[in-house]
Amino acid sequence: MQIWLIFAAPLALIAGLYVFGLTIPVPHLGRDYVLRLILPDAGDPVDLPKISGPQDRSRPLVVIDAGHGGKDPGAVVGGVREKDIVLGLAKALKSELLASGGIRVAMTRESDEFLVLQERPEIARRLGADLFVSIHADSAGDVSGVRGASIYTLSSEASSEAAARFAERENNADRLNGVSVEGQSEAISSILVQLSQRRVQENSSEFSQLIVREGSGNLRFHPQARRSAELAVLRAPDVPAILYEAGYITNPDEAKLLASEEGREKFADTMARAIRIYFARERGASSGSSGGTGGVTDGSGGATP
């Protein structure tokens, strides 16, 4: 009887209250206020960096990416951190491009902040960049005497894989490099993306050649200066992109040069010249022999055909 009362009595009480239409008062819990959040309008760009330079959108746009940052220091040797070296180089390049005029510039980061790797090329895509330059510094570990800059472009194998993933992710995005892919079948969309990226790879390779040519006598390059690899930061299928390894911070002399004003000036001067020649060639190729260069010259006062 006692056990029955323990389990059955509460149920009987609740049932009786329900039959007679009675309720048990419940104390008020919580706070009497409403939290309001102001959200951006749908479709508005979020967290995109500022574009500096001419307001004319027909002018080419370069997105400069200083590698690493924030909680990711990159390679660290003694007190030298890769993230600091490359940010200094990136800022020097931005200043040089803006001083010369005719080119718009944006940076993925201008301070010591952390960015997810996949965010970097996506910023270039969302801004509609014409060129993406990611700057890093290398490490040779315990191997001594290694020095020199190198330039990476996306390998063919990685390009095909990235193109396939891009086509799947975008699900027939409306345009890619000026080619409409809206409403196409998945197979045709994938082919168009691959053709587009083939063109992007060719442009990236041409730009890497210009860097080596313009840097001859001004910068020290690794014996294997031009390379290709499966690098996630280069996987923007519709933006020509290179990753520039400025040198080896495990080499004390090279680390000192890269951190110096002289080293930053040499890098910025070479890279800016290569960028201007690249855009002058691109504009010349797209407008034909009778077209102009839209204000982008090779840095010597004349347009490069």
Side-chain angles (χ1 to χ4, degrees):
M1 181 62 69
Q2 290 176 341
I3 294 175
W4 184 88
L5 288 174
I6 292 173
F7 289 99
L11 295 176
L13 176 62
I14 294 173
L17 292 173
Y18 178 77
V19 169
F20 292 103
L22 302 176
T23 59
I24 300 175
V26 178
H28 174 71
L29 301 174
R31 299 178 182 273
D32 291 324
Y33 66 84
V34 177
L35 181 63
R36 301 181 185 276
L37 299 176
I38 300 176
L39 300 177
D41 294 335
D44 283 358
V46 179
D47 295 330
L48 289 178
K50 175 186 175 183
I51 297 177
S52 303
Q55 297 300 308
D56 184 357
R57 290 193 175 189
S58 69
R59 299 300 177 94
L61 170 62
V62 179
V63 172
I64 306 170
D65 172 47
H68 306 283
K71 63 182 181 181
D72 174 18
V76 180
V77 179
V80 179
R81 301 182 299 183
E82 180 182 355
K83 68 175 183 178
D84 300 326
I85 294 285
V86 299
L87 183 58
L89 295 172
K91 287 182 175 180
L93 176 56
K94 175 186 176 182
S95 297
E96 180 66 24
L97 288 172
L98 293 179
S100 300
I103 294 177
R104 298 180 297 147
V105 183
M107 293 178 62
T108 57
R109 70 177 183 98
E110 296 197 59
S111 60
D112 186 18
E113 62 178 304
F114 175 76
L115 291 173
V116 176
L117 188 62
Q118 288 76 11
E119 285 183 293
R120 299 170 185 267
E122 186 62 22
I123 287 173
R125 287 200 64 250
R126 291 174 64 190
L127 287 175
D130 300 285
L131 190 62
F132 178 74
V133 178
S134 186
I135 306 170
H136 291 252
D138 219 333
S139 169
D142 297 330
V143 181
S144 61
V146 183
R147 63 184 304 172
S150 53
I151 306 127
Y152 284 87
T153 55
L154 190 66
S155 68
S156 298
E157 292 78 9
S159 171
S160 298
E161 181 185 344
R165 285 209 317 272
F166 178 79
E168 180 180 359
R169 183 178 80 243
E170 294 298 313
N171 191 21
N172 300 327
D174 56 353
R175 299 189 71 81
L176 183 67
N177 265 342
V179 178
S180 176
V181 295
E182 186 176 15
Q184 304 288 348
S185 69
E186 183 177 348
I188 293 177
S189 176
S190 180
I191 291 171
L192 289 174
V193 171
Q194 290 184 42
L195 290 175
S196 172
Q197 188 155 36
R198 184 180 302 171
R199 175 188 170 192
V200 167
Q201 277 191 282
E202 291 171 354
N203 291 347
S204 302
S205 180
E206 177 189 349
F207 179 51
S208 71
Q209 289 178 345
L210 286 173
I211 296 172
V212 174
R213 191 190 79 177
E214 295 303 308
S216 179
N218 196 34
L219 299 176
R220 181 186 292 272
F221 290 101
H222 188 274
Q224 187 184 353
R226 297 178 61 225
R227 311 176 184 185
S228 63
E230 187 177 349
L231 299 171
V233 77
L234 299 179
R235 289 188 172 193
D238 48 354
V239 182
I242 62 103
L243 185 147
Y244 183 83
E245 291 279 7
Y248 288 81
I249 63 173
T250 45
N251 184 308
D253 293 336
E254 192 152 73
K256 183 178 179 181
L257 177 62
L258 292 175
S260 69
E261 187 68 26
E262 177 190 1
R264 289 192 290 266
E265 287 180 358
K266 285 185 175 183
F267 162 78
D269 178 67
T270 294
M271 189 67 72
R273 270 203 323 273
I275 289 172
R276 297 183 70 80
I277 294 172
Y278 170 80
F279 283 135
R281 286 183 173 181
E282 285 296 298
R283 180 61 62 91
S286 63
S287 60
S289 58
S290 61
T293 60
V296 179
T297 68
D298 63 4
S300 60
T304 302

